[in-house]
Amino acid sequence: MAELEKFKMAIGGQWVGAASGETFESYNPYTAQPWAEIPKGAAADVDAAVEAAYQAGRPGSEWRSMTASARGALLQKFGDALLEAADHLGEMETRDNGKLIAEMGVQCKYLTQWYQYYGGLCDKIEGSVIPIDKPATFNYTVWEPLGVVACIVPWNSPLLLLTWKLAPLLAAGNTAVIKPSEYTSVSTLEFMKVVEQVGFPPGVINVVTGFGADVGAPLVEHPKVAKVAFTGSDTTGTQIYQAAAKHMKHVTMELGGKSPNIVFDDAEVDNAVKGAISGIFAATGQTCIAGSRLLVQESIHNEFVDKLVALAKTAKMGDPMNMDTQVGPVTNIPQFEKILDYIDIAKGEGAEAVLGGAKANSLECGDGWFVEPTIFTGVKNSMRIAQEEVFGPVLSVIPFKDEEEAIEIGNDVVYGLAAGVWTQNIRRAMIMADRLEAGTVWVNTYRAVSYMSPFGGYKQSGIGRESGQEMIKEYLQQKCVWISTATEVPNPFVLR
């Protein structure tokens, strides 16, 4: 076995191991072999990182003393540096989580846009002067940073989902302690080398690696953490929300999804088929916005499924480092086993696997954790396979009669992250967009995101928004200042 690559945590501008000296292994999903050694952090490491972030963000510190324009220039410089490092970071992510290098290379280059965008927004954060109704009084507002923000990041797109949090929180003047997933810590640690290169003041950005109980829990509960920004499952999100509430911490949560991808009989069928494939088999279905419920109008159901299966059969599985690979491995063993369990559940519920439905055993998949692209028909929306997030390449096809039934089925789930609508009828598109309970509705496209556009969910899919201009206020708090110019204080026993 090859010697493991060894990594350190970043705390207070220093590269350090865990205080305990303990480490754990990170696995390459394609080879199913360990390749990296990661520090196994614990509460002592969390304390050190939070204290470093707290001190770095105190009034009078180098970071807090920067003008907004200077802070913005640093963020934009950081964006430029990330662009230069994008190929390397993309390779690290692919090696650590198995996502396609064809996507990760592009995705890591796209990161720079968030830092450029929010860097430009730094000196546009303005308060207001209020024409108050009290005589001899000057009243105004300012926006101030919250303080230390805990960023808890999942394993499916570590750097992208970190950036959605980090760029705006830095633009707002906060500091950060990052906890990457224990399955995919490497790219975040490599990312910190770019932070060091650019010259952020020590302690502004920190990373503690380890497991949820050892690092995540003490980080969420730490009294000096002002906000928790989390992306992950709704089960874990609920636990974090409850823990954060004990200390009245601010939260932003982007949680699970069971998104409906709805195809009407007037859709451009070939485009809709591609949209359905993109919605569920891109990223091996390991994405919160996966269009895992495909709703197809009855009049075109059979024709559509035939074309869908025919195209899905052509998907090339194999080494995610190859540019022509289209479906890569599942990121970790627990998720791999969970997906196979859900496939068995679906079969037990009476759904029919018209494609896939098992572990992939082709030569191209080697020893990796691969699941065949799977399509189930005969699915009822009440089935577990239609109600619960699988987070894998498993699609449930559900027929519907008309707009009303499509809306009823689409909304009949506890999640509300995203939805897709395929139609050439603008009236129908507008009605569906209006009535679907989802934070994002795509019409004649799917799985599109931008630093300019807010992203987040309804219902159990989360709280708050990421990206877009307005969401920077998720990382700010408003202060109101009253200045009296009166020459005499009025009756002190009466509310002014």
Side-chain angles (χ1 to χ4, degrees):
M1 182 182 294
E3 185 176 352
L4 302 183
E5 295 186 29
K6 295 178 172 57
F7 293 85
K8 297 290 187 181
M9 298 186 293
I11 298 177
Q14 302 294 318
W15 295 100
V16 298
S20 67
E22 292 186 78
T23 63
F24 64 98
E25 295 175 341
S26 187
Y27 281 71
N28 182 327
Y30 175 61
T31 64
Q33 295 296 318
W35 74 282
E37 183 179 277
I38 311 296
K40 186 181 179 185
D45 305 293
V46 171
D47 285 342
V50 173
E51 186 60 29
Y54 182 77
Q55 294 299 331
R58 295 195 69 176
S61 67
E62 181 183 358
W63 178 244
R64 283 294 296 274
S65 297
M66 275 188 187
T67 65
S69 296
R71 191 166 67 245
L74 183 59
L75 277 177
Q76 292 179 329
K77 180 182 177 183
F78 185 46
D80 291 340
L82 282 173
L83 188 59
E84 293 181 7
D87 289 338
H88 172 66
L89 293 174
E91 289 174 4
M92 290 296 99
E93 289 225 327
T94 295
R95 197 170 177 186
D96 216 23
N97 77 351
K99 290 190 76 171
L100 306 182
I101 191 62
E103 177 169 355
M104 296 319 302
V106 174
Q107 192 176 103
C108 284
K109 287 181 174 67
Y110 197 34
L111 299 180
T112 186
Q113 297 296 337
W114 271 266
Y115 296 98
Q116 299 288 351
Y117 181 79
Y118 285 103
L121 195 58
C122 284
D123 54 9
K124 316 306 187 291
I125 302 168
E126 299 176 345
S128 59
V129 175
I130 299 172
I132 203 71
D133 62 338
K134 311 295 183 183
T137 302
F138 180 55
N139 186 253
Y140 67 95
T141 64
V142 293
W143 292 95
E144 297 182 339
L146 296 172
V148 180
V149 180
C151 301
I152 302 178
V153 184
W155 43 259
N156 57 327
S157 287
L159 291 185
L160 180 67
L161 297 175
L162 168 60
T163 289
W164 289 8
K165 300 161 181 54
L166 191 62
L169 79 83
L170 292 173
N174 299 282
T175 58
V177 177
I178 302 162
K179 187 231 173 276
S181 168
E182 60 270 26
Y183 297 112
T184 54
S185 300
V186 170
S187 61
T188 302
L189 296 175
E190 289 293 284
F191 173 91
M192 287 301 296
K193 293 179 181 178
V194 186
V195 171
E196 184 179 55
Q197 168 195 332
V198 168
F200 280 91
V204 171
I205 308 172
N206 309 270
V207 179
V208 182
T209 53
F211 294 79
D214 301 326
V215 174
L219 181 57
V220 169
E221 294 169 2
H222 200 288
K224 288 185 177 177
V225 168
K227 172 166 180 164
V228 180
F230 170 76
T231 299
S233 73
D234 55 313
T235 301
T236 304
T238 298
Q239 295 170 350
I240 290 174
Y241 196 16
Q242 290 172 339
K246 294 177 183 177
H247 300 282
M248 299 299 291
K249 298 182 191 294
H250 298 253
V251 296
T252 300
M253 295 198 172
E254 192 268 283
L255 307 177
K258 197 69 184 177
S259 301
N261 205 355
I262 305 169
V263 182
F264 287 94
D265 58 11
D266 68 334
E268 291 284 352
V269 171
D270 290 344
N271 286 341
V273 167
K274 292 176 185 177
I277 294 289
S278 172
I280 190 61
F281 298 134
T284 317
Q286 298 173 115
T287 170
C288 52
I289 55 177
S292 52
R293 290 185 300 152
L294 179 65
L295 279 56
V296 182
Q297 198 156 19
E298 289 176 348
S299 56
I300 61 167
H301 177 275
N302 294 344
E303 171 199 356
F304 193 89
V305 169
D306 288 345
K307 289 190 173 185
L308 180 69
V309 170
L311 182 58
K313 280 181 178 178
T314 68
K316 182 176 180 181
M317 305 183 74
D319 187 348
M321 284 291 190
N322 293 337
M323 287 297 293
D324 60 349
T325 298
Q326 295 171 312
V327 178
V330 175
T331 297
N332 55 72
I333 277 283
Q335 186 61 29
F336 173 72
E337 293 174 346
K338 175 186 172 183
I339 295 167
L340 294 177
D341 285 345
Y342 267 108
I343 288 173
D344 289 340
I345 289 168
K347 292 175 180 177
E349 289 180 312
E352 179 186 357
V354 295
L355 180 70
K359 177 184 184 296
N361 292 308
S362 66
L363 184 63
E364 294 79 12
C365 296
D367 296 323
W369 304 316
F370 286 83
V371 174
E372 295 174 335
T374 299
I375 299 174
F376 282 107
T377 59
V379 176
K380 297 178 181 178
N381 199 55
S382 59
M383 293 179 175
R384 287 183 64 187
I385 196 66
Q387 290 290 315
E388 299 174 16
E389 187 176 41
V390 177
F391 219 69
V394 180
L395 179 64
S396 298
V397 183
I398 304 171
F400 69 88
K401 288 180 288 190
D402 52 27
E403 290 175 12
E404 286 300 320
E405 188 173 26
I407 291 166
E408 180 182 351
I409 295 172
N411 291 338
D412 185 19
V413 71
V414 296
Y415 300 107
L417 190 58
V421 178
W422 298 85
T423 180
Q424 295 303 302
N425 185 320
I426 188 63
R427 180 201 64 83
R428 172 178 284 160
M430 297 291 287
I431 289 173
M432 297 299 292
D434 182 57
R435 295 183 61 188
L436 285 167
E437 297 169 352
T440 296
V441 178
W442 292 291
V443 178
N444 295 329
T445 187
Y446 204 88
R447 203 169 171 253
V449 296
S450 170
Y451 53 93
M452 297 181 180
S453 185
F455 179 84
Y458 285 25
K459 300 187 285 189
Q460 283 185 213
S461 286
I463 299 169
R465 293 293 181 268
E466 296 186 305
S467 298
Q469 182 174 334
E470 291 298 319
M471 66 74 52
I472 196 169
K473 291 181 180 177
E474 301 272 3
Y475 294 98
L476 292 164
Q477 53 193 343
Q478 192 175 40
K479 177 180 287 183
C480 185
V481 180
W482 294 69
I483 300 176
S484 174
T485 59
T487 56
E488 181 180 348
V489 174
N491 185 345
F493 297 99
V494 176
L495 181 69
R496 280 202 69 185

Tab-separated table of all heavy atoms in Angstrom, residues 26-76:
chain	number	residue	atom	x	y	z
A	26	SER	N	-8.560	9.128	5.130
A	26	SER	CA	-9.546	9.502	4.121
A	26	SER	C	-9.386	8.561	2.933
A	26	SER	O	-8.259	8.261	2.518
A	26	SER	CB	-9.343	10.956	3.686
A	26	SER	OG	-10.391	11.371	2.828
A	27	TYR	N	-10.517	8.109	2.380
A	27	TYR	CA	-10.515	7.098	1.325
A	27	TYR	C	-10.800	7.701	-0.045
A	27	TYR	O	-11.605	8.633	-0.177
A	27	TYR	CB	-11.556	6.020	1.620
A	27	TYR	CG	-11.109	5.006	2.645
A	27	TYR	CD1	-10.995	5.341	3.988
A	27	TYR	CD2	-10.787	3.709	2.264
A	27	TYR	CE1	-10.571	4.416	4.933
A	27	TYR	CE2	-10.371	2.764	3.198
A	27	TYR	CZ	-10.263	3.124	4.530
A	27	TYR	OH	-9.847	2.200	5.452
A	28	ASN	N	-10.166	7.142	-1.061
A	28	ASN	CA	-10.477	7.446	-2.449
A	28	ASN	C	-11.639	6.556	-2.866
A	28	ASN	O	-11.506	5.326	-2.885
A	28	ASN	CB	-9.245	7.178	-3.318
A	28	ASN	CG	-9.465	7.510	-4.781
A	28	ASN	OD1	-10.565	7.360	-5.313
A	28	ASN	ND2	-8.420	7.950	-5.444
A	29	PRO	N	-12.806	7.109	-3.201
A	29	PRO	CA	-13.979	6.277	-3.509
A	29	PRO	C	-13.811	5.407	-4.748
A	29	PRO	O	-14.495	4.384	-4.870
A	29	PRO	CB	-15.106	7.304	-3.731
A	29	PRO	CG	-14.622	8.553	-3.085
A	29	PRO	CD	-13.143	8.540	-3.232
A	30	TYR	N	-12.931	5.795	-5.646
A	30	TYR	CA	-12.735	5.008	-6.865
A	30	TYR	C	-11.900	3.758	-6.603
A	30	TYR	O	-12.166	2.690	-7.140
A	30	TYR	CB	-12.073	5.862	-7.945
A	30	TYR	CG	-11.743	5.080	-9.193
A	30	TYR	CD1	-12.757	4.460	-9.945
A	30	TYR	CD2	-10.424	4.938	-9.617
A	30	TYR	CE1	-12.454	3.726	-11.084
A	30	TYR	CE2	-10.115	4.212	-10.758
A	30	TYR	CZ	-11.135	3.609	-11.491
A	30	TYR	OH	-10.827	2.875	-12.622
A	31	THR	N	-10.899	3.889	-5.732
A	31	THR	CA	-10.050	2.734	-5.427
A	31	THR	C	-10.498	2.001	-4.166
A	31	THR	O	-10.074	0.868	-3.922
A	31	THR	CB	-8.595	3.183	-5.221
A	31	THR	OG1	-8.525	4.043	-4.072
A	31	THR	CG2	-8.075	3.930	-6.453
A	32	ALA	N	-11.347	2.649	-3.368
A	32	ALA	CA	-11.785	2.113	-2.076
A	32	ALA	C	-10.595	1.898	-1.139
A	32	ALA	O	-10.634	1.051	-0.256
A	32	ALA	CB	-12.584	0.824	-2.247
A	33	GLN	N	-9.544	2.707	-1.325
A	33	GLN	CA	-8.332	2.599	-0.509
A	33	GLN	C	-8.051	3.934	0.180
A	33	GLN	O	-8.321	5.003	-0.372
A	33	GLN	CB	-7.134	2.213	-1.376
A	33	GLN	CG	-7.227	0.837	-1.999
A	33	GLN	CD	-7.246	-0.271	-0.960
A	33	GLN	OE1	-6.496	-0.227	0.026
A	33	GLN	NE2	-8.110	-1.270	-1.159
A	34	PRO	N	-7.465	3.886	1.388
A	34	PRO	CA	-7.089	5.144	2.042
A	34	PRO	C	-5.934	5.798	1.294
A	34	PRO	O	-5.064	5.114	0.745
A	34	PRO	CB	-6.670	4.701	3.443
A	34	PRO	CG	-6.258	3.270	3.285
A	34	PRO	CD	-7.128	2.700	2.215
A	35	TRP	N	-5.932	7.120	1.272
A	35	TRP	CA	-4.850	7.824	0.582
A	35	TRP	C	-4.323	9.023	1.365
A	35	TRP	O	-3.255	9.543	1.060
A	35	TRP	CB	-5.316	8.289	-0.803
A	35	TRP	CG	-6.244	9.469	-0.788
A	35	TRP	CD1	-7.576	9.466	-0.503
A	35	TRP	CD2	-5.902	10.832	-1.051
A	35	TRP	NE1	-8.098	10.733	-0.575
A	35	TRP	CE2	-7.094	11.595	-0.923
A	35	TRP	CE3	-4.722	11.492	-1.396
A	35	TRP	CZ2	-7.120	12.975	-1.106
A	35	TRP	CZ3	-4.753	12.871	-1.587
A	35	TRP	CH2	-5.944	13.593	-1.446
A	36	ALA	N	-5.072	9.467	2.388
A	36	ALA	CA	-4.664	10.650	3.130
A	36	ALA	C	-4.854	10.434	4.624
A	36	ALA	O	-5.748	9.703	5.053
A	36	ALA	CB	-5.461	11.864	2.674
A	37	GLU	N	-3.986	11.078	5.399
A	37	GLU	CA	-4.062	11.027	6.860
A	37	GLU	C	-4.433	12.412	7.366
A	37	GLU	O	-3.745	13.390	7.091
A	37	GLU	CB	-2.709	10.596	7.428
A	37	GLU	CG	-2.698	10.435	8.942
A	37	GLU	CD	-1.341	9.984	9.440
A	37	GLU	OE1	-1.091	8.770	9.393
A	37	GLU	OE2	-0.539	10.860	9.842
A	38	ILE	N	-5.537	12.472	8.123
A	38	ILE	CA	-6.143	13.732	8.544
A	38	ILE	C	-6.119	13.837	10.068
A	38	ILE	O	-6.402	12.849	10.761
A	38	ILE	CB	-7.609	13.808	8.054
A	38	ILE	CG1	-7.711	13.465	6.569
A	38	ILE	CG2	-8.216	15.171	8.358
A	38	ILE	CD1	-7.009	14.417	5.649
A	39	PRO	N	-5.828	15.010	10.634
A	39	PRO	CA	-5.885	15.160	12.088
A	39	PRO	C	-7.303	14.914	12.627
A	39	PRO	O	-8.279	15.410	12.060
A	39	PRO	CB	-5.468	16.615	12.314
A	39	PRO	CG	-4.692	16.989	11.094
A	39	PRO	CD	-5.324	16.235	9.968
A	40	LYS	N	-7.376	14.171	13.697
A	40	LYS	CA	-8.665	13.886	14.328
A	40	LYS	C	-8.866	14.886	15.473
A	40	LYS	O	-8.461	14.662	16.615
A	40	LYS	CB	-8.701	12.450	14.851
A	40	LYS	CG	-10.072	12.042	15.386
A	40	LYS	CD	-10.053	10.610	15.906
A	40	LYS	CE	-11.416	10.220	16.460
A	40	LYS	NZ	-11.396	8.870	17.080
A	41	GLY	N	-9.503	16.001	15.120
A	41	GLY	CA	-9.708	17.058	16.088
A	41	GLY	C	-10.715	16.700	17.168
A	41	GLY	O	-11.475	15.734	17.040
A	42	ALA	N	-10.728	17.513	18.214
A	42	ALA	CA	-11.665	17.324	19.324
A	42	ALA	C	-11.941	18.685	19.955
A	42	ALA	O	-11.569	19.726	19.406
A	42	ALA	CB	-11.093	16.345	20.348
A	43	ALA	N	-12.577	18.684	21.122
A	43	ALA	CA	-13.028	19.923	21.746
A	43	ALA	C	-11.888	20.905	21.996
A	43	ALA	O	-12.052	22.126	21.835
A	43	ALA	CB	-13.752	19.608	23.055
A	44	ALA	N	-10.708	20.404	22.356
A	44	ALA	CA	-9.573	21.298	22.619
A	44	ALA	C	-9.170	22.050	21.352
A	44	ALA	O	-8.815	23.238	21.398
A	44	ALA	CB	-8.386	20.490	23.156
A	45	ASP	N	-9.227	21.379	20.212
A	45	ASP	CA	-8.887	22.022	18.939
A	45	ASP	C	-9.952	23.033	18.546
A	45	ASP	O	-9.646	24.106	17.999
A	45	ASP	CB	-8.726	20.951	17.856
A	45	ASP	CG	-7.718	19.892	18.245
A	45	ASP	OD1	-6.527	20.219	18.345
A	45	ASP	OD2	-8.140	18.740	18.468
A	46	VAL	N	-11.203	22.699	18.819
A	46	VAL	CA	-12.295	23.647	18.575
A	46	VAL	C	-12.102	24.900	19.410
A	46	VAL	O	-12.231	26.031	18.924
A	46	VAL	CB	-13.662	22.993	18.863
A	46	VAL	CG1	-14.781	24.037	18.834
A	46	VAL	CG2	-13.951	21.878	17.863
A	47	ASP	N	-11.776	24.727	20.691
A	47	ASP	CA	-11.549	25.886	21.570
A	47	ASP	C	-10.447	26.789	21.013
A	47	ASP	O	-10.589	28.022	20.993
A	47	ASP	CB	-11.150	25.411	22.969
A	47	ASP	CG	-12.319	24.853	23.772
A	47	ASP	OD1	-13.474	25.146	23.406
A	47	ASP	OD2	-12.075	24.123	24.747
A	48	ALA	N	-9.368	26.175	20.544
A	48	ALA	CA	-8.244	26.955	20.018
A	48	ALA	C	-8.647	27.714	18.764
A	48	ALA	O	-8.298	28.886	18.588
A	48	ALA	CB	-7.059	26.027	19.731
A	49	ALA	N	-9.398	27.059	17.881
A	49	ALA	CA	-9.806	27.690	16.629
A	49	ALA	C	-10.806	28.809	16.863
A	49	ALA	O	-10.709	29.888	16.264
A	49	ALA	CB	-10.400	26.636	15.691
A	50	VAL	N	-11.786	28.582	17.733
A	50	VAL	CA	-12.785	29.610	18.018
A	50	VAL	C	-12.130	30.809	18.695
A	50	VAL	O	-12.434	31.967	18.381
A	50	VAL	CB	-13.934	29.049	18.880
A	50	VAL	CG1	-14.870	30.169	19.320
A	50	VAL	CG2	-14.719	27.995	18.111
A	51	GLU	N	-11.204	30.553	19.620
A	51	GLU	CA	-10.525	31.666	20.288
A	51	GLU	C	-9.697	32.470	19.288
A	51	GLU	O	-9.674	33.708	19.338
A	51	GLU	CB	-9.626	31.141	21.412
A	51	GLU	CG	-8.988	32.226	22.262
A	51	GLU	CD	-9.996	33.118	22.973
A	51	GLU	OE1	-11.122	32.650	23.290
A	51	GLU	OE2	-9.660	34.304	23.225
A	52	ALA	N	-9.037	31.779	18.352
A	52	ALA	CA	-8.263	32.485	17.326
A	52	ALA	C	-9.176	33.349	16.464
A	52	ALA	O	-8.854	34.503	16.157
A	52	ALA	CB	-7.514	31.472	16.455
A	53	ALA	N	-10.320	32.791	16.088
A	53	ALA	CA	-11.273	33.543	15.265
A	53	ALA	C	-11.872	34.708	16.044
A	53	ALA	O	-12.058	35.809	15.504
A	53	ALA	CB	-12.385	32.611	14.777
A	54	TYR	N	-12.156	34.471	17.324
A	54	TYR	CA	-12.741	35.520	18.168
A	54	TYR	C	-11.777	36.698	18.322
A	54	TYR	O	-12.169	37.863	18.186
A	54	TYR	CB	-13.095	34.926	19.528
A	54	TYR	CG	-13.753	35.891	20.481
A	54	TYR	CD1	-15.093	36.247	20.341
A	54	TYR	CD2	-13.020	36.462	21.527
A	54	TYR	CE1	-15.692	37.142	21.223
A	54	TYR	CE2	-13.610	37.352	22.405
A	54	TYR	CZ	-14.940	37.686	22.249
A	54	TYR	OH	-15.526	38.579	23.110
A	55	GLN	N	-10.512	36.390	18.594
A	55	GLN	CA	-9.522	37.456	18.768
A	55	GLN	C	-9.274	38.186	17.447
A	55	GLN	O	-9.113	39.411	17.431
A	55	GLN	CB	-8.210	36.880	19.309
A	55	GLN	CG	-8.314	36.314	20.720
A	55	GLN	CD	-8.718	37.361	21.755
A	55	GLN	OE1	-8.423	38.548	21.606
A	55	GLN	NE2	-9.407	36.926	22.808
A	56	ALA	N	-9.273	37.445	16.335
A	56	ALA	CA	-9.037	38.066	15.024
A	56	ALA	C	-10.155	39.015	14.631
A	56	ALA	O	-9.945	39.934	13.829
A	56	ALA	CB	-8.885	36.985	13.957
A	57	GLY	N	-11.346	38.812	15.193
A	57	GLY	CA	-12.492	39.640	14.832
A	57	GLY	C	-12.850	40.703	15.838
A	57	GLY	O	-13.847	41.419	15.668
A	58	ARG	N	-12.057	40.864	16.881
A	58	ARG	CA	-12.376	41.856	17.917
A	58	ARG	C	-12.094	43.268	17.417
A	58	ARG	O	-11.204	43.491	16.587
A	58	ARG	CB	-11.566	41.591	19.186
A	58	ARG	CG	-11.911	40.276	19.866
A	58	ARG	CD	-11.383	40.224	21.273
A	58	ARG	NE	-12.108	41.178	22.134
A	58	ARG	CZ	-11.902	41.287	23.442
A	58	ARG	NH1	-11.023	40.516	24.047
A	58	ARG	NH2	-12.582	42.154	24.159
A	59	PRO	N	-12.828	44.258	17.931
A	59	PRO	CA	-12.537	45.655	17.573
A	59	PRO	C	-11.075	45.987	17.850
A	59	PRO	O	-10.525	45.612	18.890
A	59	PRO	CB	-13.483	46.448	18.483
A	59	PRO	CG	-14.617	45.514	18.744
A	59	PRO	CD	-14.002	44.141	18.823
A	60	GLY	N	-10.453	46.661	16.896
A	60	GLY	CA	-9.052	47.006	17.030
A	60	GLY	C	-8.111	46.011	16.404
A	60	GLY	O	-6.919	46.287	16.234
A	61	SER	N	-8.617	44.813	16.049
A	61	SER	CA	-7.776	43.825	15.386
A	61	SER	C	-7.457	44.273	13.961
A	61	SER	O	-8.104	45.178	13.410
A	61	SER	CB	-8.483	42.471	15.347
A	61	SER	OG	-9.626	42.540	14.507
A	62	GLU	N	-6.467	43.640	13.368
A	62	GLU	CA	-6.094	43.975	11.994
A	62	GLU	C	-7.278	43.804	11.047
A	62	GLU	O	-7.527	44.644	10.183
A	62	GLU	CB	-4.931	43.094	11.549
A	62	GLU	CG	-4.454	43.376	10.130
A	62	GLU	CD	-3.340	42.453	9.673
A	62	GLU	OE1	-2.895	41.594	10.484
A	62	GLU	OE2	-2.925	42.560	8.498
A	63	TRP	N	-8.029	42.721	11.220
A	63	TRP	CA	-9.167	42.434	10.341
A	63	TRP	C	-10.281	43.455	10.516
A	63	TRP	O	-10.780	44.022	9.550
A	63	TRP	CB	-9.674	41.023	10.629
A	63	TRP	CG	-10.878	40.576	9.850
A	63	TRP	CD1	-12.109	40.272	10.369
A	63	TRP	CD2	-10.978	40.360	8.441
A	63	TRP	NE1	-12.967	39.870	9.378
A	63	TRP	CE2	-12.299	39.919	8.169
A	63	TRP	CE3	-10.098	40.501	7.379
A	63	TRP	CZ2	-12.753	39.609	6.888
A	63	TRP	CZ3	-10.538	40.194	6.091
A	63	TRP	CH2	-11.853	39.758	5.858
A	64	ARG	N	-10.652	43.733	11.759
A	64	ARG	CA	-11.742	44.677	12.016
A	64	ARG	C	-11.326	46.116	11.705
A	64	ARG	O	-12.188	46.973	11.461
A	64	ARG	CB	-12.213	44.581	13.465
A	64	ARG	CG	-13.102	43.384	13.764
A	64	ARG	CD	-14.439	43.435	13.045
A	64	ARG	NE	-15.262	44.541	13.471
A	64	ARG	CZ	-16.073	44.525	14.519
A	64	ARG	NH1	-16.177	43.434	15.257
A	64	ARG	NH2	-16.790	45.584	14.821
A	65	SER	N	-10.035	46.382	11.698
A	65	SER	CA	-9.571	47.744	11.414
A	65	SER	C	-9.479	48.031	9.921
A	65	SER	O	-9.302	49.185	9.525
A	65	SER	CB	-8.200	47.982	12.068
A	65	SER	OG	-8.303	47.880	13.483
A	66	MET	N	-9.576	47.003	9.113
A	66	MET	CA	-9.556	47.212	7.664
A	66	MET	C	-10.772	48.019	7.232
A	66	MET	O	-11.873	47.815	7.742
A	66	MET	CB	-9.617	45.868	6.926
A	66	MET	CG	-8.318	45.169	6.727
A	66	MET	SD	-8.567	43.743	5.631
A	66	MET	CE	-6.959	42.993	5.742
A	67	THR	N	-10.585	48.915	6.274
A	67	THR	CA	-11.750	49.555	5.680
A	67	THR	C	-12.515	48.530	4.859
A	67	THR	O	-11.960	47.503	4.450
A	67	THR	CB	-11.333	50.715	4.768
A	67	THR	OG1	-10.592	50.184	3.660
A	67	THR	CG2	-10.507	51.741	5.515
A	68	ALA	N	-13.764	48.801	4.617
A	68	ALA	CA	-14.570	47.888	3.802
A	68	ALA	C	-13.966	47.727	2.414
A	68	ALA	O	-13.960	46.624	1.845
A	68	ALA	CB	-16.005	48.399	3.706
A	69	SER	N	-13.439	48.794	1.855
A	69	SER	CA	-12.834	48.717	0.530
A	69	SER	C	-11.588	47.839	0.538
A	69	SER	O	-11.357	47.057	-0.397
A	69	SER	CB	-12.486	50.112	0.018
A	69	SER	OG	-13.659	50.888	-0.160
A	70	ALA	N	-10.789	47.941	1.588
A	70	ALA	CA	-9.591	47.107	1.691
A	70	ALA	C	-9.960	45.637	1.857
A	70	ALA	O	-9.316	44.748	1.279
A	70	ALA	CB	-8.732	47.573	2.871
A	71	ARG	N	-11.005	45.390	2.638
A	71	ARG	CA	-11.473	44.017	2.807
A	71	ARG	C	-11.951	43.456	1.471
A	71	ARG	O	-11.678	42.308	1.118
A	71	ARG	CB	-12.595	43.985	3.847
A	71	ARG	CG	-12.971	42.587	4.305
A	71	ARG	CD	-13.831	42.633	5.553
A	71	ARG	NE	-15.136	43.219	5.341
A	71	ARG	CZ	-15.571	44.348	5.882
A	71	ARG	NH1	-14.751	45.032	6.677
A	71	ARG	NH2	-16.781	44.806	5.644
A	72	GLY	N	-12.652	44.274	0.703
A	72	GLY	CA	-13.128	43.849	-0.607
A	72	GLY	C	-11.990	43.558	-1.561
A	72	GLY	O	-12.030	42.576	-2.314
A	73	ALA	N	-10.942	44.380	-1.527
A	73	ALA	CA	-9.782	44.160	-2.399
A	73	ALA	C	-9.091	42.844	-2.053
A	73	ALA	O	-8.628	42.114	-2.943
A	73	ALA	CB	-8.808	45.328	-2.264
A	74	LEU	N	-9.034	42.510	-0.746
A	74	LEU	CA	-8.428	41.251	-0.329
A	74	LEU	C	-9.249	40.062	-0.819
A	74	LEU	O	-8.688	39.060	-1.289
A	74	LEU	CB	-8.293	41.222	1.197
A	74	LEU	CG	-7.603	39.994	1.793
A	74	LEU	CD1	-6.192	39.840	1.249
A	74	LEU	CD2	-7.579	40.086	3.318
A	75	LEU	N	-10.563	40.176	-0.732
A	75	LEU	CA	-11.419	39.095	-1.222
A	75	LEU	C	-11.249	38.899	-2.727
A	75	LEU	O	-11.228	37.763	-3.225
A	75	LEU	CB	-12.887	39.391	-0.898
A	75	LEU	CG	-13.374	39.027	0.501
A	75	LEU	CD1	-14.814	39.461	0.683
A	75	LEU	CD2	-13.242	37.543	0.753
A	76	GLN	N	-11.143	39.987	-3.459
A	76	GLN	CA	-10.978	39.870	-4.903
A	76	GLN	C	-9.609	39.296	-5.259
A	76	GLN	O	-9.486	38.500	-6.200
A	76	GLN	CB	-11.215	41.234	-5.551
A	76	GLN	CG	-12.674	41.667	-5.439
A	76	GLN	CD	-12.949	43.029	-6.044
A	76	GLN	OE1	-12.081	43.897	-6.046
A	76	GLN	NE2	-14.152	43.215	-6.549
